[in-house]
Amino acid sequence: MENANSNLPANIVNMATALAQSASQAGASTSSDAYMKFSKFGEWIYGVENTEVEEGSIWAVNPLGFVHGWTAWGTKEHGTNGQNVGEMMVPATQPMPQEGNLPTVKGNWAKGIGIQMRCTNGEDEGVQVMFKSNSLGGRKAYAAILQSVVARITAGEPHCMPLVKLGNDSYDHKEYGKIFTPVLEVVGWAAHDAEKPVAESATVDRLPPHADAPKVEETPKEAEEAPRRRRRRVE
């Protein structure tokens, strides 16, 4: 199985001492963060009502809000199918927890990531979420944007907060049909301490879609529910 973190710089834990200290002090998320996920239908949804994000909205990614680790999903044999039965996440500035140290649960552990974001405009303005994913596509998107943040920090750039649009890409799998993957399109960068993030420039940097179609992993899938439609989806 491919490790989405394998292409990150070897010294990521120590790449910026200030970042590591801030991350450990501030933490990656709060209990008020809404849970965001990328559905199998290619939609970004958040919250208990599965609210679909507004098309074209801009989300500020917290440079201190990257986490990685493991999530456990229940199985039919344990009577917990589709349930989240365990999670062990740490800030990206810390080593990923060792699989051998994970507790026994009524399900299976899968590698997972998280990205904290806040919407900066439109109907969702002010909404803060923690995007979580166990899919290979989600982990690749995480690794790509984290590498961009690391590159700017190590270059001494004052603007290290990515401003992104949430989209999707897809590929055809010979067995499972059309598979959607999450896309984070960077439309600018802002200072991390900005009260209302504004892009430093109008230059659009697009994180390229995954060129190689990833294999579908045989890991427990997150329970999917149809998103609450406050905006009509174009069929």
Side-chain angles (χ1 to χ4, degrees), residues 44-108:
W44 294 84
I45 51 182
Y46 69 86
V48 295
E49 296 184 338
N50 288 321
T51 302
E52 185 180 0
V53 302
E54 183 178 8
E55 184 177 357
S57 57
I58 306 297
W59 295 75
V61 175
N62 182 2
L64 309 181
F66 291 94
V67 298
H68 60 178
W70 302 83
T71 303
W73 294 99
T75 61
K76 289 182 179 180
E77 61 181 332
H78 289 102
T80 56
N81 191 42
Q83 299 178 33
N84 184 327
V85 295
E87 183 174 278
M88 185 174 291
M89 293 283 189
V90 298
T93 50
Q94 298 178 18
M96 186 166 176
Q98 295 296 312
E99 186 173 8
N101 295 331
L102 299 175
T104 300
V105 295
K106 294 183 177 180
N108 296 324

